[in-house]
Amino acid sequence: MHLHIIGICGTFMGSLALLARELGHQVSGSDQNVYPPMSTQLTEAGISLMEGYHAEHLTPLPDLVVVGNAMSRGNPEVEALLNSNVPYTSGAQWLAEHVLPGRRVIAVAGTHGKTTTASILAWLLESAGLIPGFLIGGVPRNFGVSARIGDPAAPFVVEADEYDTAFFDKRSKFVHYHPHIAILNNLEFDHADIFPDLAAIERQFHHLVRTVPSQGQLLVADQQPALERVLAQGVWTPVVHFGDQVESEWQFQLERDDASRFQVIYSGGAPGQDKKGQDEDGVVEWALTGEHNARNALAAVAAAHLCGVDLARGCAALARFETPRRRQEVRGEINGIQVIDDFAHHPTAIAATLKGLRAATTKGRLLAVIEPRSNTMRLGALRERLIDSVADADGVFWFQPAGLDWSMDELVATQGAHAQLYSDINTLVQAVVTQASPLDRIVVMSNGGFEGVHERLLAALAIAREG
């Protein structure tokens, strides 16, 4: 079958394309403003990429078109599709109908940490010899691809996004997956372009909860009022909490301030048992930093344990876990100056990333380079919170992207000499390189390509070193 995917270079749709190719389908796709790592792995998989959105991309007619959720009416390729009478579906529905049936599905949901948690979980299952399938909104470096079918008898890990499904299906994508195990990692307001308030997102999470069977499991983060409100709307599945509270069945205790070493404590019974059993524990020592990543790991260890992975073995496997691409990924080091790439774009995620790196930065300064380009940021929602989100940085270089609906001048002015604002990428790069010194760490945060700023920084640092 020939599948054509409109919006193929999005993290979800690109992963879907890899699964379709692995299942033996002919796959083509179109997108615009493509950038690595997704464009790279699609090309390497032999998938035909077409630039832009045009009616002629549907010639010859494919057997089925999968429409990305970023596509809308008025898009030339979408209009040509609707006029062609070619069958079409959403990515989430295609996944639910062609990949997930018969699998033990583990869905990883939450405002933050989905990619990292799903990557950790897939790695724990892999380390235990289970050969899981997965679809992740990033590229886990332990696997080198963002999706694979895996062993049909093994669990399938899916990053469960609350964003809407398609222009013709406004439900959250995750309601299609019908997981047996659902991780609810956190919940706060985001996606201001489609949700009017937090209550609307909570309602979608309630819809997800309604799909988890009574013989399944909900793994829910503690100290999350929004998630407790979700559960208060109705729950028909056993609930286990995880976090740092003594009441939680799964707990973590930091042994280092930067969270690079922590203890995991399990006070529940064996998988499937309601009664308390003998406590188990294990120690994690790994390359990641930040309390938020310790929580992500705890959730993954708990889910893997439900699939039969020994707790101590799972904790030991985390020593070999590599961060997904664009999650605290060190892109290079020049003259003792590190350039780190991170996907953080929400104020909470920015603050968590900087807090973790601050604790791990014992020498030199922490310089943040931030592009607020998500739809929520473009609309100005949560912009007041951006001020406090960078408190742990020694210096902040803000970039105002084209299309931002508000001016960042006032925000930056409140931060004084701590922050600078740029609208030209070359000027920003030169300013960062001029101010950076050996032992400094430059962390770049954006959920987009950011005009290749990482490579530009490394190139400019190399020139400065030679000069």
Side-chain angles (χ1 to χ4, degrees), residues 347-348 376-377 379-390 398 406-407 410-412 414-415:
T348 297
T376 299
M377 289 292 101
L379 293 172
L382 309 178
R383 62 183 176 184
E384 294 82 5
R385 290 182 54 194
L386 286 173
I387 297 173
D388 294 332
S389 72
V390 295
W398 294 100
W406 53 283
S407 172
E410 184 177 344
L411 179 148
V412 174
T414 63
Q415 297 177 306

Side-chain angles (χ1 to χ4, degrees), residues 139-433:
V139 181
R141 288 190 290 165
N142 287 99
F143 297 97
V145 293
S146 61
R148 77 174 188 192
I149 296 296
D151 185 340
F156 192 97
V157 179
V158 59
E159 180 173 327
D161 185 8
E162 71 271 25
Y163 213 82
D164 61 359
T165 298
F167 74 85
F168 49 86
D169 182 353
K170 306 314 287 183
R171 295 173 295 170
S172 290
K173 289 201 288 288
F174 57 35
V175 302
H176 291 272
Y177 303 151
H178 301 170
H180 299 80
I181 300 170
I183 295 173
L184 308 184
N185 220 358
N186 43 64
L187 180 55
E188 60 179 310
F189 184 66
D190 197 6
H191 308 308
D193 52 323
I194 62 171
F195 293 117
D197 50 36
L198 179 57
I201 308 177
E202 292 173 4
R203 190 65 180 174
Q204 292 298 319
F205 270 71
H206 169 64
H207 294 163
L208 171 63
V209 168
R210 293 179 73 95
T211 68
V212 183
S214 59
Q215 293 183 345
Q217 187 85 69
L218 288 172
L219 297 171
V220 182
D222 60 24
Q223 300 189 87
Q224 290 288 318
L227 291 180
E228 293 307 315
R229 289 194 295 271
V230 169
L231 298 182
Q233 294 184 47
V235 60
W236 300 265
T237 306
V239 176
V240 169
H241 285 88
F242 64 90
D244 60 0
Q245 300 299 293
V246 294
E247 299 85 2
S248 297
E249 291 90 337
W250 288 89
Q251 303 167 38
F252 74 93
Q253 295 179 358
L254 299 185
E255 295 189 357
R256 291 179 186 151
D257 289 342
D258 66 357
S260 62
R261 181 182 170 94
F262 59 93
Q263 187 177 24
V264 173
I265 302 169
Y266 175 53
S267 59
Q273 292 182 347
D274 293 328
K275 63 181 181 180
K276 295 287 184 178
Q278 185 175 1
D279 287 4
E280 299 179 63
D281 59 22
V283 175
V284 174
E285 187 163 6
W286 63 343
L288 275 69
T289 60
E291 183 178 318
H292 63 297
N293 279 322
R295 289 180 180 273
N296 293 338
L298 182 66
V301 168
H305 192 264
L306 287 170
C307 296
V309 178
D310 177 73
L311 190 155
R313 180 175 181 175
C315 290
L318 288 175
R320 305 190 304 279
F321 176 72
E322 298 182 66
T323 59
R325 295 285 303 274
R326 308 209 61 202
R327 272 69 179 179
Q328 291 188 17
E329 179 188 3
V330 177
R331 296 288 291 270
E333 182 173 327
I334 303 291
N335 196 29
I337 302 171
Q338 274 190 347
V339 175
I340 300 169
D341 186 10
D342 196 85
F343 198 72
H345 53 279
H346 186 285
T348 297
I350 292 171
T353 295
L354 291 174
K355 181 180 179 181
L357 290 173
R358 172 80 279 159
T361 304
T362 57
K363 298 179 180 179
R365 296 171 300 164
L366 183 60
L367 306 178
V369 180
I370 306 173
E371 178 192 34
R373 69 173 293 279
S374 71
N375 289 331
T376 299
M377 289 292 101
R378 285 182 183 276
L379 293 172
L382 309 178
R383 62 183 176 184
E384 294 82 5
R385 290 182 54 194
L386 286 173
I387 297 173
D388 294 332
S389 72
V390 295
D392 282 309
D394 295 298
V396 186
F397 300 82
W398 294 100
F399 182 71
Q400 177 145 348
L404 203 68
D405 288 352
W406 53 283
S407 172
M408 298 180 64
D409 290 310
E410 184 177 344
L411 179 148
V412 174
T414 63
Q415 297 177 306
H418 181 67
Q420 302 166 48
L421 176 63
Y422 300 90
S423 58
D424 176 75
I425 196 71
N426 293 319
T427 306
L428 179 147
V429 167
Q430 193 55 49
V432 175
V433 170

